[in-house]
Coordinates of all heavy atoms in Angstrom, one line a residue:
M157 N 4.2 -10.3 2.8 CA 2.9 -10.9 2.7 C 1.9 -10.0 3.3 O 2.1 -9.4 4.3 CB 2.9 -12.2 3.4 CG 1.6 -12.9 3.5 SD 1.5 -14.4 4.5 CE 2.4 -15.5 3.4
L158 N 0.8 -9.8 2.5 CA -0.3 -9.0 3.0 C -1.4 -10.0 3.5 O -1.9 -10.8 2.7 CB -0.8 -8.1 1.9 CG -2.0 -7.2 2.3 CD1 -1.7 -6.3 3.5 CD2 -2.5 -6.4 1.1
A159 N -1.8 -9.8 4.7 CA -2.9 -10.7 5.3 C -4.0 -9.8 5.8 O -3.9 -9.2 6.8 CB -2.3 -11.5 6.4
D160 N -5.1 -9.8 5.1 CA -6.2 -8.9 5.4 C -7.3 -9.7 6.2 O -7.9 -10.6 5.6 CB -6.8 -8.3 4.1 CG -8.0 -7.3 4.4 OD1 -8.2 -7.0 5.6 OD2 -8.6 -6.9 3.4
E161 N -7.4 -9.5 7.5 CA -8.3 -10.2 8.3 C -8.2 -11.8 8.2 O -9.2 -12.5 8.0 CB -9.8 -9.8 8.1 CG -10.0 -8.4 8.4 CD -10.2 -8.1 9.9 OE1 -10.2 -9.0 10.7 OE2 -10.3 -6.9 10.2
P162 N -6.9 -12.3 8.3 CA -6.8 -13.7 8.1 C -7.5 -14.6 9.1 O -7.6 -15.8 8.9 CB -5.2 -13.9 8.2 CG -4.8 -12.8 9.1 CD -5.7 -11.7 8.7
T163 N -7.9 -14.1 10.2 CA -8.5 -14.9 11.3 C -10.0 -14.4 11.5 O -10.6 -14.9 12.4 CB -7.8 -14.7 12.6 OG1 -7.8 -13.4 13.0 CG2 -6.3 -15.2 12.4
G164 N -10.5 -13.6 10.6 CA -11.8 -13.0 10.8 C -13.0 -13.9 11.0 O -13.9 -13.7 11.8
A165 N -13.0 -15.1 10.3 CA -14.1 -16.0 10.4 C -13.7 -17.3 11.0 O -14.4 -18.3 10.7 CB -14.7 -16.2 9.0
L166 N -12.7 -17.3 11.8 CA -12.2 -18.6 12.4 C -12.5 -18.7 13.9 O -12.6 -17.7 14.6 CB -10.7 -18.7 12.1 CG -10.2 -18.6 10.7 CD1 -8.7 -18.6 10.6 CD2 -10.8 -19.7 9.9
D167 N -12.5 -19.9 14.4 CA -12.6 -20.1 15.8 C -11.3 -19.7 16.5 O -10.3 -19.5 15.8 CB -12.9 -21.5 16.1 CG -11.9 -22.5 15.7 OD1 -11.9 -22.9 14.5 OD2 -10.9 -22.8 16.4
S168 N -11.3 -19.5 17.8 CA -10.1 -19.0 18.5 C -8.9 -19.9 18.3 O -7.8 -19.3 18.1 CB -10.4 -18.9 20.0 OG -11.5 -18.0 20.2
R169 N -9.0 -21.2 18.4 CA -7.8 -22.0 18.3 C -7.2 -22.0 16.9 O -6.0 -21.8 16.7 CB -8.1 -23.5 18.6 CG -6.9 -24.4 18.4 CD -7.0 -25.7 19.1 NE -5.8 -26.5 18.8 CZ -4.7 -26.5 19.5 NH1 -4.6 -25.7 20.5 NH2 -3.7 -27.3 19.2
T170 N -8.0 -22.0 15.9 CA -7.5 -21.9 14.5 C -6.9 -20.6 14.3 O -5.9 -20.5 13.6 CB -8.7 -22.2 13.5 OG1 -9.2 -23.5 13.8 CG2 -8.1 -22.2 12.1
S171 N -7.4 -19.5 14.8 CA -6.8 -18.2 14.7 C -5.4 -18.2 15.3 O -4.5 -17.6 14.6 CB -7.7 -17.2 15.5 OG -8.9 -17.0 14.8
V172 N -5.2 -18.8 16.4 CA -3.9 -18.8 17.0 C -2.9 -19.7 16.2 O -1.8 -19.4 16.0 CB -3.9 -19.3 18.5 CG1 -2.5 -19.4 19.1 CG2 -4.7 -18.3 19.3
E173 N -3.5 -20.8 15.6 CA -2.7 -21.6 14.7 C -2.2 -20.8 13.5 O -1.0 -20.9 13.1 CB -3.4 -22.8 14.2 CG -3.7 -23.8 15.3 CD -4.6 -25.0 14.9 OE1 -5.2 -24.9 13.9 OE2 -4.7 -25.9 15.7
I174 N -3.1 -20.0 12.9 CA -2.7 -19.2 11.8 C -1.6 -18.2 12.2 O -0.7 -17.9 11.5 CB -3.9 -18.4 11.2 CG1 -4.9 -19.4 10.6 CG2 -3.6 -17.3 10.2 CD1 -4.4 -20.2 9.4
M175 N -1.8 -17.6 13.4 CA -0.8 -16.6 13.8 C 0.5 -17.3 14.1 O 1.6 -16.7 13.8 CB -1.3 -15.9 15.1 CG -2.5 -15.0 14.9 SD -2.3 -13.9 13.5 CE -0.9 -12.9 14.0
A176 N 0.6 -18.5 14.5 CA 1.8 -19.3 14.7 C 2.5 -19.5 13.4 O 3.7 -19.3 13.3 CB 1.5 -20.6 15.4
L177 N 1.7 -19.8 12.3 CA 2.3 -19.9 11.0 C 2.9 -18.6 10.5 O 4.0 -18.6 9.9 CB 1.3 -20.4 10.0 CG 0.8 -21.9 10.2 CD1 -0.4 -22.2 9.3 CD2 1.9 -22.8 9.9
L178 N 2.2 -17.5 10.7 CA 2.6 -16.2 10.3 C 3.9 -15.8 11.0 O 4.8 -15.2 10.4 CB 1.5 -15.2 10.4 CG 0.3 -15.3 9.4 CD1 -0.8 -14.3 9.7 CD2 0.8 -15.2 8.0
Q179 N 3.9 -16.1 12.3 CA 5.1 -15.7 13.1 C 6.3 -16.6 12.6 O 7.4 -16.0 12.6 CB 4.9 -16.0 14.6 CG 4.0 -14.9 15.2 CD 3.8 -15.2 16.7 OE1 3.8 -16.3 17.2 NE2 3.5 -14.1 17.4
E180 N 6.1 -17.8 12.3 CA 7.2 -18.6 11.8 C 7.7 -18.1 10.5 O 9.0 -18.0 10.2 CB 6.8 -20.1 11.6 CG 7.9 -21.0 11.1 CD 9.1 -21.1 11.9 OE1 9.0 -20.9 13.2 OE2 10.2 -21.3 11.4
L181 N 6.9 -17.7 9.5 CA 7.3 -17.1 8.3 C 8.1 -15.8 8.6 O 9.1 -15.5 7.9 CB 6.1 -16.8 7.4 CG 5.4 -18.0 6.8 CD1 4.0 -17.5 6.1 CD2 6.2 -18.7 5.8
N182 N 7.6 -15.0 9.5 CA 8.3 -13.8 9.9 C 9.7 -14.0 10.4 O 10.7 -13.4 10.1 CB 7.5 -13.0 10.9 CG 8.1 -11.6 11.2 OD1 8.5 -11.4 12.3 ND2 8.1 -10.7 10.2
R183 N 9.8 -15.1 11.2 CA 11.2 -15.4 11.8 C 12.1 -15.9 10.6 O 13.3 -15.7 10.8 CB 11.0 -16.5 12.8 CG 10.6 -16.0 14.2 CD 10.8 -17.1 15.3 NE 9.8 -18.1 15.1 CZ 8.5 -18.1 15.6 NH1 8.1 -17.0 16.3 NH2 7.7 -19.1 15.5
E184 N 11.5 -16.4 9.6 CA 12.3 -16.8 8.4 C 12.7 -15.7 7.5 O 13.3 -15.8 6.5 CB 11.6 -17.9 7.6 CG 11.4 -19.2 8.4 CD 10.6 -20.2 7.7 OE1 10.2 -20.0 6.5 OE2 10.3 -21.3 8.3
G185 N 12.2 -14.4 7.9 CA 12.6 -13.3 7.1 C 11.5 -12.7 6.2 O 11.8 -11.7 5.5
I186 N 10.4 -13.2 6.3 CA 9.3 -12.7 5.4 C 8.5 -11.6 6.2 O 8.1 -11.8 7.4 CB 8.3 -13.8 5.0 CG1 9.0 -14.8 4.1 CG2 7.0 -13.2 4.4 CD1 8.2 -16.0 3.8
T187 N 8.4 -10.4 5.6 CA 7.7 -9.3 6.2 C 6.2 -9.6 6.1 O 5.7 -10.0 5.0 CB 8.0 -8.0 5.5 OG1 9.4 -7.7 5.7 CG2 7.2 -6.8 6.1
I188 N 5.5 -9.5 7.2 CA 4.0 -9.7 7.2 C 3.3 -8.4 7.6 O 3.6 -7.8 8.6 CB 3.6 -10.8 8.3 CG1 4.5 -12.0 8.3 CG2 2.1 -11.0 8.3 CD1 4.2 -12.9 7.1
V189 N 2.4 -8.0 6.7 CA 1.5 -6.9 7.1 C 0.1 -7.5 7.3 O -0.5 -8.0 6.4 CB 1.5 -5.8 5.9 CG1 0.5 -4.7 6.2 CG2 2.9 -5.3 5.6
L190 N -0.3 -7.4 8.5 CA -1.6 -8.0 8.9 C -2.6 -6.9 9.3 O -2.3 -6.1 10.1 CB -1.4 -8.9 10.1 CG -2.6 -9.7 10.5 CD1 -2.2 -11.2 10.8 CD2 -3.1 -9.1 11.8
V191 N -3.8 -7.0 8.7 CA -4.9 -6.1 9.0 C -5.9 -6.8 9.8 O -6.3 -7.9 9.5 CB -5.6 -5.6 7.7 CG1 -6.7 -4.6 8.1 CG2 -4.5 -4.9 6.8
T192 N -6.2 -6.3 11.0 CA -7.2 -6.9 11.9 C -7.9 -5.9 12.7 O -7.4 -4.8 13.0 CB -6.5 -8.0 12.8 OG1 -7.6 -8.7 13.5 CG2 -5.6 -7.4 13.8
H193 N -9.1 -6.2 13.1 CA -9.9 -5.4 14.1 C -9.8 -6.1 15.5 O -10.4 -5.6 16.4 CB -11.3 -5.2 13.6 CG -11.4 -4.4 12.4 ND1 -11.4 -4.9 11.1 CD2 -11.6 -3.1 12.3 CE1 -11.5 -3.9 10.3 NE2 -11.6 -2.8 10.9
E194 N -9.2 -7.2 15.5 CA -9.2 -8.0 16.8 C -7.9 -7.7 17.6 O -6.8 -8.0 17.2 CB -9.2 -9.5 16.4 CG -10.5 -9.9 15.7 CD -10.4 -11.4 15.2 OE1 -10.3 -12.2 16.1 OE2 -10.4 -11.6 14.0
H195 N -8.1 -7.1 18.8 CA -7.0 -6.7 19.6 C -6.2 -7.9 20.1 O -4.9 -7.9 20.2 CB -7.4 -5.9 20.8 CG -8.0 -4.6 20.4 ND1 -7.2 -3.5 20.0 CD2 -9.3 -4.2 20.3 CE1 -8.0 -2.5 19.7 NE2 -9.3 -2.9 19.8
D196 N -6.8 -9.1 20.3 CA -6.1 -10.2 20.8 C -5.2 -10.8 19.7 O -4.2 -11.4 20.0 CB -7.1 -11.3 21.4 CG -8.1 -11.7 20.3 OD1 -8.6 -10.9 19.5 OD2 -8.5 -12.9 20.4
I197 N -5.6 -10.7 18.5 CA -4.8 -11.1 17.3 C -3.6 -10.1 17.1 O -2.5 -10.5 16.9 CB -5.6 -11.3 16.1 CG1 -6.6 -12.4 16.2 CG2 -4.7 -11.5 14.8 CD1 -6.0 -13.8 16.5
A198 N -3.9 -8.8 17.2 CA -2.8 -7.8 17.1 C -1.7 -8.0 18.1 O -0.6 -7.7 17.9 CB -3.4 -6.4 17.2
D199 N -2.1 -8.6 19.3 CA -1.1 -8.8 20.3 C 0.0 -9.8 19.9 O 1.0 -9.9 20.6 CB -1.8 -9.3 21.6 CG -2.4 -8.2 22.4 OD1 -2.0 -7.0 22.2 OD2 -3.3 -8.4 23.2
F200 N -0.2 -10.5 18.8 CA 0.9 -11.4 18.3 C 1.9 -10.7 17.5 O 2.8 -11.3 17.0 CB 0.2 -12.6 17.6 CG -0.5 -13.6 18.5 CD1 -1.9 -13.6 18.4 CD2 0.1 -14.4 19.3 CE1 -2.6 -14.5 19.2 CE2 -0.6 -15.3 20.2 CZ -2.0 -15.3 20.1
A201 N 1.7 -9.4 17.2 CA 2.5 -8.7 16.3 C 3.6 -7.9 17.1 O 3.4 -7.5 18.2 CB 1.7 -7.7 15.5
G202 N 4.7 -7.7 16.5 CA 5.8 -7.0 17.1 C 5.7 -5.5 17.0 O 6.3 -4.7 17.7
R203 N 4.8 -5.1 16.1 CA 4.6 -3.6 15.9 C 3.1 -3.5 15.5 O 2.6 -4.2 14.7 CB 5.4 -3.1 14.7 CG 5.3 -1.6 14.4 CD 6.2 -1.2 13.3 NE 6.0 0.1 12.9 CZ 6.5 0.7 11.8 NH1 7.3 0.0 11.0 NH2 6.3 2.0 11.6
I204 N 2.5 -2.5 16.2 CA 1.1 -2.2 15.9 C 0.9 -0.7 15.5 O 1.4 0.2 16.1 CB 0.2 -2.4 17.2 CG1 0.3 -3.9 17.6 CG2 -1.2 -2.0 17.0 CD1 -0.3 -4.3 18.9
I205 N 0.3 -0.6 14.3 CA 0.0 0.7 13.8 C -1.5 0.9 13.7 O -2.2 0.0 13.0 CB 0.6 0.9 12.4 CG1 2.1 0.7 12.4 CG2 0.3 2.3 11.8 CD1 2.8 0.7 11.1
S206 N -2.0 1.9 14.4 CA -3.5 2.1 14.4 C -3.9 3.3 13.5 O -3.2 4.3 13.5 CB -3.9 2.3 15.8 OG -3.6 1.2 16.7
F207 N -5.0 3.1 12.8 CA -5.5 4.2 11.9 C -6.9 4.6 12.3 O -7.6 3.8 12.9 CB -5.6 3.6 10.5 CG -4.3 3.4 9.8 CD1 -3.6 2.2 10.0 CD2 -3.7 4.3 9.0 CE1 -2.4 1.9 9.4 CE2 -2.5 4.0 8.4 CZ -1.8 2.8 8.6
R208 N -7.2 5.8 12.1 CA -8.5 6.3 12.3 C -8.7 7.4 11.1 O -7.9 8.3 11.0 CB -8.8 7.0 13.6 CG -10.2 7.5 13.7 CD -10.6 8.0 15.1 NE -10.8 6.7 15.9 CZ -10.2 6.5 17.1 NH1 -9.5 7.5 17.7 NH2 -10.4 5.4 17.8
D209 N -9.8 7.2 10.4 CA -10.1 8.1 9.3 C -9.0 8.3 8.3 O -8.7 9.4 7.9 CB -10.6 9.5 9.9 CG -11.8 9.4 10.7 OD1 -12.7 8.5 10.5 OD2 -11.9 10.2 11.7
G210 N -8.3 7.2 8.1 CA -7.2 7.2 7.1 C -5.9 7.8 7.6 O -4.9 8.0 6.8
Q211 N -5.8 8.1 8.9 CA -4.6 8.7 9.5 C -4.0 7.8 10.5 O -4.8 7.2 11.3 CB -5.0 10.1 10.1 CG -5.6 11.1 9.2 CD -4.6 11.6 8.1 OE1 -3.5 11.9 8.4 NE2 -5.1 11.7 6.9
V212 N -2.7 7.8 10.6 CA -2.0 7.0 11.6 C -2.2 7.8 12.9 O -1.9 9.0 13.1 CB -0.5 6.9 11.4 CG1 0.2 6.2 12.5 CG2 -0.3 6.1 10.1
I213 N -2.8 7.1 13.9 CA -3.0 7.7 15.2 C -2.0 7.1 16.3 O -1.9 7.7 17.3 CB -4.5 7.6 15.7 CG1 -4.9 6.1 15.8 CG2 -5.4 8.4 14.8 CD1 -6.2 5.9 16.6
E214 N -1.5 5.9 16.0 CA -0.5 5.3 16.9 C 0.4 4.4 16.1 O -0.1 3.7 15.2 CB -1.2 4.6 18.0 CG -0.3 4.0 19.0 CD -1.1 3.2 20.1 OE1 -2.1 2.7 19.9 OE2 -0.5 3.2 21.2
D215 N 1.7 4.4 16.4 CA 2.7 3.5 15.9 C 3.6 3.1 17.0 O 4.3 3.9 17.5 CB 3.4 4.2 14.7 CG 4.4 3.3 14.0 OD1 4.6 2.1 14.5 OD2 5.0 3.7 13.0
R216 N 3.5 1.8 17.4 CA 4.2 1.4 18.6 C 4.8 0.0 18.5 O 4.2 -0.8 17.8 CB 3.4 1.5 19.9 CG 2.2 0.5 19.9 CD 1.4 0.7 21.2 NE 0.2 -0.1 21.2 CZ 0.0 -1.3 21.5 NH1 1.1 -2.0 22.0 NH2 -1.1 -1.9 21.5
A217 N 5.9 -0.2 19.2 CA 6.5 -1.5 19.3 C 5.6 -2.3 20.3 O 5.0 -1.7 21.2 CB 7.9 -1.4 19.8
N218 N 5.5 -3.6 20.1 CA 4.7 -4.4 20.9 C 5.5 -5.7 21.3 O 6.2 -6.3 20.5 CB 3.4 -4.8 20.2 CG 2.5 -5.6 21.0 OD1 2.1 -5.2 22.1 ND2 2.0 -6.8 20.5
A219 N 5.4 -6.1 22.6 CA 6.0 -7.3 23.0 C 5.1 -8.4 22.6 O 4.2 -8.8 23.3 CB 6.2 -7.3 24.6
A220 N 5.4 -8.9 21.4 CA 4.5 -9.9 20.8 C 4.4 -11.2 21.6 O 5.4 -11.8 22.0 CB 5.0 -10.3 19.4
K221 N 3.2 -11.7 21.7 CA 2.9 -13.0 22.3 C 3.4 -14.0 21.3 O 3.2 -13.9 20.1 CB 1.4 -13.1 22.6 CG 0.9 -12.2 23.7 CD -0.5 -12.6 24.2 CE -1.5 -12.7 23.1 NZ -2.9 -12.9 23.5
D222 N 3.8 -15.1 21.9 CA 4.3 -16.3 21.1 C 3.1 -17.2 20.8 O 2.5 -17.8 21.7 CB 5.4 -17.0 21.8 CG 5.9 -18.2 21.0 OD1 5.3 -18.6 20.0 OD2 7.0 -18.7 21.4
A223 N 2.6 -17.2 19.6 CA 1.4 -18.0 19.2 C 1.6 -19.5 19.4 O 0.7 -20.2 19.9 CB 1.0 -17.7 17.8
A224 N 2.8 -20.0 19.1 CA 3.1 -21.4 19.2 C 3.0 -21.8 20.7 O 2.4 -22.9 21.0 CB 4.4 -21.8 18.6
A225 N 3.5 -21.0 21.6 CA 3.4 -21.2 23.0 C 2.0 -21.1 23.5 O 1.6 -21.9 24.4 CB 4.3 -20.3 23.8
A226 N 1.2 -20.3 22.9 CA -0.2 -20.1 23.3 C -1.1 -21.3 23.0 O -2.1 -21.5 23.6 CB -0.8 -18.9 22.7
L227 N -0.6 -22.1 22.0 CA -1.4 -23.3 21.6 C -1.2 -24.4 22.7 O -2.0 -25.2 22.9 CB -0.9 -23.9 20.3 CG -1.2 -23.0 19.1 CD1 -0.5 -23.6 17.8 CD2 -2.7 -23.0 18.8

């Protein structure tokens, strides 16, 4: 699933609810590619790849926060 700024125009609580849904889909085996400029939203991901000028500048594993628990 490709999610381009899925929380961009949402309030904080709804953003976390969306991330909880995406995490559940991921646990069920669906690959999620999420594009965001929000660092707090990226913290819900297990892997973070950062780009600058079309080039990968960082690719790292992340201890993903549990969105359901954050609610």
Side-chain angles (χ1 to χ4, degrees):
M157 173 185 286
L158 178 59
D160 185 7
E161 296 283 356
T163 63
L166 303 175
D167 61 272
S168 298
R169 178 164 177 85
T170 305
S171 293
V172 176
E173 289 173 352
I174 294 298
M175 293 310 299
L177 290 171
L178 292 175
Q179 285 180 334
E180 179 59 31
L181 289 171
N182 184 248
R183 280 191 288 277
E184 292 174 5
I186 296 174
T187 299
I188 310 290
V189 176
L190 184 136
V191 178
T192 186
H193 292 91
E194 300 175 61
H195 295 284
D196 58 326
I197 294 299
D199 282 340
F200 291 109
R203 180 177 177 192
I204 298 175
I205 303 172
S206 300
F207 292 83
R208 177 169 290 131
D209 299 328
Q211 302 293 316
V212 174
I213 59 169
E214 182 179 33
D215 182 352
R216 66 179 170 88
N218 185 51
K221 293 190 308 187
D222 183 346
L227 289 172

